Amino acid sequence: MIHTEALDAGLGDADDDDFDQAVETYDSRLPENRYLDRELSWLAFNRRVLELAEDPALPVLERANFLAIFASNLDEFFMVRVAGLKRRIVTGLAVPTNVGRSPQDVLGDISAEAHALQLRHADAWTTLVRPALSEVGIDIVTWHDLSDEERTLLYEYFQGQVFPVLMPLAVDPAHPFPYISGLSLNLAIRIRNARTGRQEFARLKVPPMLPRFVPVRSDGETVRYIPLEDLIAHNLKDLFPGMEILDHHAFRLTRNEDVVIEEDETENLIQALEAELLRRRFGPPIRLEVGDDMDDLTLDLLINELGITQQEVYRLPGPLDLRGLFDLARIDRPELHYPPHVPTTAPAFQPIEQNGRTDLFAAIRKGDVLVHHPYESFTTSVQAFLEQAAKDPYVLAIKQTLYRTSGDSPIVKALIDAAEAGKQVLVLVEVKARFDEAANIVWARKLEKAGVHVVYGLVGLKTHCKLLHVIRQEDGALRSYSHIGTGNYNPKTSRLYEDFGLFTIDEQVGRDLTRLFNELSGYAIEKKFKRLLVAPLHLRKGLLRLIDAERRNALEGKPASVRIKVNSMVDEQIIDALYRASQAGVKVDVWVRGICSLKVGLDGVSENITVRSILGRYLEHSRIFAFEGGGDPQVFIGSADMMHRNLDRRVEALVRVTQPAHIKELIDLFDLAMSERTSSWHLGPEGEWTRHHLDAKGKPLADLQDKTMAAVQRRRRVRAVR
């Protein structure tokens, strides 16, 4: 057992330097092998997604959707994480990973695991999901499966809808090897010139704007589809008249598409970002996927021209780029999807007037309102609140952060309406939100044209917090209405992402948001907040002190527990604090969706730590931090994950939840998630994740999201009866 005397002197009251020194002294005693590799942990997360696709108990179109999610996730992993590792190696900035291994060794580990996962992914489609779709009348066929009549019909479609947009590019002394865009699906074609007898090579891009799966025809019970690339491949003679088609193979390239902006070297962030987005299109290759039937001659040509290593080549059976299954998953067959769920209006916001309208300001004045999306509606809460504020003549000012929002955003429209109505409107648009940069630039300029004060945050930091602050004149005074959330102000993703949001008129929160927005838009540096924990200056230390308070409570024989729900648990200081708490006897529950570098089962270190992961129809996205507090629970929700970037390089905000009913709701949700009777994945000592979804009799365990849906519906019915 590792002793804890170094931290037993009531350091909750110590100054920052003493606290840091004591923690550093203590952490030096922890075992060196106390973390899991973050990159391999991410791949383990995507394996859990794949396990859902493999589950025959799930509706088959949802299984197809999970296959598409797996493929999309893996693309982003390569474009960002793998690309980052390669960039550090190439630039000579490589440093050991969180487990002390060199980036070169980690790349080898990633390659081995990613190869195995992609083969498993392809097999899940070929042997599990595709046959299951066929059983319910959705057939994915090849050209060879078609009748002559079907081929004739498809040829007419090819001539009318496909052929005009195809652009074959020859490769010869007069035509250099063409640029291959990232994530595009292509055909590598070898042909023989009938006139000269020479073999030639051509590249053909499969048009991304056309349906990936082309309907063949329906006999009333079965709908047949053919992959677009298969249709094109068997009509190549029209593209190369007078040529002999020798061979054709599909391939797909992944490029480094992470954005790196040196903000301190530029005066105009928008212009710098636009230039970087242009550069992203030409990022270096990091993965080449090819069909497993590709011949060595064609593969060698691609490897040489693209500058790819053998390790970066992925030979795969079946169709490449199964993101195309997103289209299939939208087929209108309700019985093949999850049962529909219509979000309810939060009880506090349900209409009570005869005209069916609700005064959301009046509802919030009655007490804090906690809303749980997508079980409770984003449209009738956050969106309705902002729209009412935009129209309300007594509202003087609106301040909001926007990290991601939808392309046809009613949020942006409401902000524009407010500005045009003469209100002061400040919007912090985070133009560096990964893969949404271009869309955010468009919205930022549209907002500016409407008279909205648009700012782009602080140099060197992403603004990731989810904040909405409305100033309203009431009875001769100004009152703050605040919303702090765990998710983006995006009506579309709010129907898929699980998140919490707190509405409050608490004066402390209002003052905190006033100070924080002043810091984000001006030059103020705020060091004191009352109900908020804010990164990068205060959040990490605040959480460390809260965890340490539980450790001290346990040593004094008081009830003590720490419960954390996040997307990722990577930060070493937070993990070590949880280890210290565990050693003192604190029960620690971690509910993590994605990466987890924390190790369970370490002798004398983490026996009191339990880690669970839950995946399902909704993406678990909320962040919750709950501390027993010696009988005075300290419970927070907010935007921050436990990663270096969130705690050190982003503006994040957690708000303390104070209403007993809201605290109970959050704790009850945690109880359900960690219960042995709830379906989840359990983290084991070697970093393995084991799915527990059946009881001892083989019956399904409770689904947390189904149970939450039922609980929200019950709350609505109870209020309706009252």
Side-chain angles (χ1 to χ4, degrees):
M1 187 67 149
I2 297 175
H3 298 292
T4 60
E5 293 92 338
L7 286 174
D8 292 345
L11 285 177
D13 299 322
D15 63 34
D16 288 348
D17 291 340
D18 289 341
F19 185 86
D20 292 342
Q21 185 175 1
V23 167
E24 184 176 347
T25 300
Y26 177 81
D27 288 347
S28 66
R29 305 174 183 177
L30 290 170
E32 290 186 0
N33 65 336
R34 62 188 184 271
Y35 308 122
L36 297 172
D37 183 274
R38 57 166 295 162
E39 315 301 350
L40 297 181
S41 181
W42 186 95
L43 289 171
F45 151 67
N46 214 27
R47 187 186 306 116
R48 299 197 290 279
V49 175
L50 183 54
E51 287 181 32
L52 290 175
E54 295 169 336
D55 187 349
L58 269 58
V60 67
L61 288 179
E62 302 296 345
R63 297 172 66 189
N65 195 55
F66 281 120
L67 285 177
I69 291 171
F70 173 96
S72 179
N73 285 349
L74 197 61
D75 286 345
E76 184 171 337
F77 176 74
F78 272 92
M79 290 188 295
V80 177
R81 298 303 312 168
V82 175
L85 280 172
K86 285 196 66 177
R87 184 171 60 246
R88 290 198 294 274
I89 293 170
V90 170
T91 58
L93 300 176
V95 296
T97 65
N98 67 320
V99 294
R101 303 197 70 211
S102 72
Q104 292 92 332
D105 290 339
V106 172
L107 275 179
D109 294 341
I110 288 172
S111 177
E113 181 63 17
H115 273 86
L117 277 178
Q118 287 209 240
L119 288 171
R120 179 172 167 180
H121 179 240
D123 184 68
W125 165 247
T126 303
T127 66
L128 300 176
V129 178
R130 179 177 170 181
L133 286 169
S134 182
E135 289 177 7
V136 295
I138 301 173
D139 267 344
I140 312 301
V141 299
T142 68
W143 185 262
H144 302 294
D145 299 322
L146 303 175
S147 67
D148 290 342
E149 180 186 359
E150 288 171 329
R151 291 181 183 181
T152 299
L153 290 172
L154 279 175
Y155 181 71
E156 292 174 359
Y157 172 83
F158 173 80
Q159 282 292 320
Q161 303 295 325
V162 181
F163 180 78
V165 298
L166 295 177
M167 298 180 183
L169 298 175
V171 178
D172 56 32
H175 301 87
F177 193 86
Y179 171 77
I180 309 297
S181 53
L183 302 187
S184 63
L185 185 60
N186 304 272
L187 292 178
I189 307 160
R190 285 195 298 113
I191 54 180
R192 178 181 287 117
N193 189 310
R195 183 172 55 83
T196 65
R198 288 180 50 186
Q199 287 195 23
E200 309 283 1
F201 177 85
R203 172 259 189 165
L204 183 64
K205 182 176 179 178
V206 178
M209 74 291 296
L210 298 179
R212 175 66 187 285
F213 292 96
V214 180
V216 181
R217 67 176 180 178
S218 171
D219 61 9
E221 296 182 358
T222 300
V223 182
R224 310 179 83 194
Y225 295 87
I226 184 172
L228 178 59
E229 64 270 26
D230 200 20
L231 172 61
I232 294 172
H234 287 88
N235 289 282
L236 290 174
K237 61 183 184 302
D238 287 15
L239 288 155
F240 302 98
M243 299 284 187
E244 179 186 357
I245 309 298
L246 299 176
D247 213 348
H248 57 79
H249 301 282
F251 72 95
R252 183 172 182 261
L253 191 68
T254 309
R255 293 184 176 274
N256 175 355
E257 298 206 13
D258 200 11
V259 168
V260 179
I261 294 288
E262 298 297 336
E263 295 171 76
D264 54 351
E265 297 180 3
T266 179
E267 295 182 0
N268 191 318
L269 177 59
I270 291 290
Q271 290 181 0
L273 188 55
E274 288 176 324
E276 184 65 13
L277 290 175
L278 183 62
R279 183 210 60 79
R280 171 193 276 179
R281 294 177 51 206
F282 300 94
I286 52 175
R287 178 181 56 162
L288 175 64
E289 297 167 278
V290 302
D292 61 359
D293 61 345
M294 179 175 283
D295 63 281
D296 291 340
L297 180 64
T298 303
L299 180 58
D300 289 343
L301 173 67
L302 292 175
I303 289 174
N304 292 332
E305 293 288 351
L306 296 171
I308 284 284
T309 67
Q310 287 287 348
Q311 186 185 68
E312 294 166 329
V313 176
Y314 289 73
R315 280 188 176 270
L316 301 170
L320 305 180
D321 192 9
L322 288 180
R323 294 178 308 162
L325 293 175
F326 279 128
D327 292 337
L328 274 187
R330 298 188 188 101
I331 292 175
D332 187 16
R333 292 278 299 275
E335 75 280 11
L336 305 180
H337 291 280
Y338 286 122
H341 167 67
V342 178
T344 67
T345 296
F349 293 156
Q350 287 176 12
I352 55 176
E353 302 175 12
Q354 290 184 350
N355 60 10
R357 295 180 181 175
T358 300
D359 182 347
L360 273 67
F361 291 114
I364 298 168
R365 284 196 296 272
K366 293 179 181 178
D368 289 1
V369 180
L370 184 69
V371 181
H372 195 185
H373 312 300
Y375 310 105
E376 294 173 313
S377 171
F378 179 92
T379 302
T380 59
S381 57
V382 178
Q383 181 180 325
F385 174 70
L386 185 57
E387 289 172 343
Q388 182 176 337
K391 298 175 183 176
D392 191 312
Y394 298 102
V395 168
L396 304 181
I398 299 173
K399 307 173 188 179
Q400 185 169 13
T401 60
L402 281 183
Y403 189 72
R404 303 184 197 274
T405 191
S406 58
D408 54 349
S409 175
I411 298 296
V412 172
K413 182 180 184 303
L415 292 167
I416 290 173
D417 289 345
E420 291 177 344
K423 305 179 191 306
Q424 287 280 92
V425 182
L426 172 72
V427 178
L428 192 144
V429 178
E430 183 46 80
V431 291
K432 300 185 295 296
R434 183 176 286 151
F435 301 124
D436 278 346
E437 299 95 343
N440 285 5
I441 289 172
V442 171
W443 284 117
R445 287 181 166 154
K446 187 171 183 178
L447 287 165
E448 285 180 322
K449 289 180 180 178
V452 174
H453 301 291
V454 177
V455 294
Y456 302 108
L458 304 174
V459 172
L461 299 174
K462 279 188 181 181
T463 304
H464 189 248
C465 48
K466 325 299 182 184
L467 309 173
L468 173 57
H469 192 206
V470 173
I471 311 299
R472 191 170 188 264
Q473 191 170 48
E474 296 178 2
D475 301 323
L478 298 183
R479 172 170 278 172
S480 291
Y481 290 80
S482 308
H483 174 268
I484 301 94
T486 69
N488 300 309
Y489 292 106
N490 188 325
K492 290 186 177 179
T493 59
S494 72
R495 297 193 287 268
L496 301 172
Y497 287 20
E498 178 271 342
D499 277 301
F500 280 97
L502 180 73
F503 293 88
T504 182
I505 59 166
D506 183 88
E507 292 183 3
Q508 286 186 340
V509 175
R511 285 194 292 269
D512 283 352
L513 288 189
T514 297
R515 295 188 182 107
L516 181 52
F517 273 105
N518 286 344
E519 182 175 347
L520 293 174
S521 64
Y523 292 104
I525 299 177
E526 185 54 57
K527 294 185 177 180
K528 292 182 180 180
F529 297 99
K530 296 294 186 181
R531 263 183 74 179
L532 297 185
L533 288 175
V534 179
L537 293 181
H538 322 293
L539 177 53
R540 180 197 297 280
K541 194 147 289 181
L543 290 176
L544 290 175
R545 288 186 179 277
L546 285 163
I547 295 170
D548 190 61
E550 296 303 307
R551 182 195 64 81
R552 289 184 283 112
N553 285 341
L555 291 175
E556 294 170 8
K558 299 177 183 177
S561 68
V562 176
R563 312 184 100 177
I564 297 177
K565 178 182 187 291
V566 285
N567 294 284
S568 300
M569 173 63 71
V570 174
D571 186 81
E572 290 86 359
Q573 288 188 43
I574 298 296
I575 291 174
D576 286 350
L578 296 177
Y579 287 152
R580 296 193 295 270
S582 168
Q583 289 179 318
V586 177
K587 178 174 169 46
V588 177
D589 289 333
V590 176
W591 175 5
V592 60
R593 174 172 58 89
I595 306 171
C596 183
S597 293
L598 184 154
K599 269 191 177 182
V600 300
L602 284 174
D603 290 341
V605 177
S606 60
E607 295 103 323
N608 291 311
I609 300 178
T610 302
V611 181
R612 298 284 188 266
S613 182
I614 293 176
L615 306 178
R617 69 188 292 173
Y618 299 131
L619 184 144
E620 293 289 332
H621 191 252
S622 65
R623 292 87 166 182
I624 305 170
F625 303 82
F627 308 91
E628 195 149 337
D632 179 22
Q634 308 280 307
V635 181
F636 296 80
I637 63 170
S639 58
D641 284 310
M642 297 297 95
M643 303 179 74
H644 306 142
R645 70 186 188 195
N646 298 91
L647 298 173
D648 300 328
R649 302 190 300 276
R650 288 186 174 186
V651 181
E652 306 276 11
L654 305 184
V655 63
R656 185 181 173 191
V657 177
T658 59
Q659 296 297 311
H662 298 159
I663 293 173
K664 182 178 186 304
E665 179 181 345
L666 295 169
I667 296 301
D668 286 350
L669 183 69
F670 240 110
D671 288 340
L672 180 59
M674 305 305 291
S675 170
E676 294 294 331
R677 296 188 296 274
T678 297
S679 176
S680 65
W681 279 264
H682 297 194
L683 179 62
E686 301 303 318
E688 75 282 5
W689 290 88
T690 304
R691 191 180 182 198
H692 290 253
H693 64 294
L694 301 174
D695 65 15
K697 297 180 180 179
K699 294 183 178 179
L701 295 173
D703 182 282
L704 175 131
Q705 296 180 350
D706 287 345
K707 297 274 285 187
T708 305
M709 274 186 274
V712 170
Q713 293 288 352
R714 281 196 300 273
R715 285 205 302 266
R716 182 185 184 188
R717 288 195 294 269
V718 168
R719 181 176 175 87
V721 170
R722 289 176 181 172

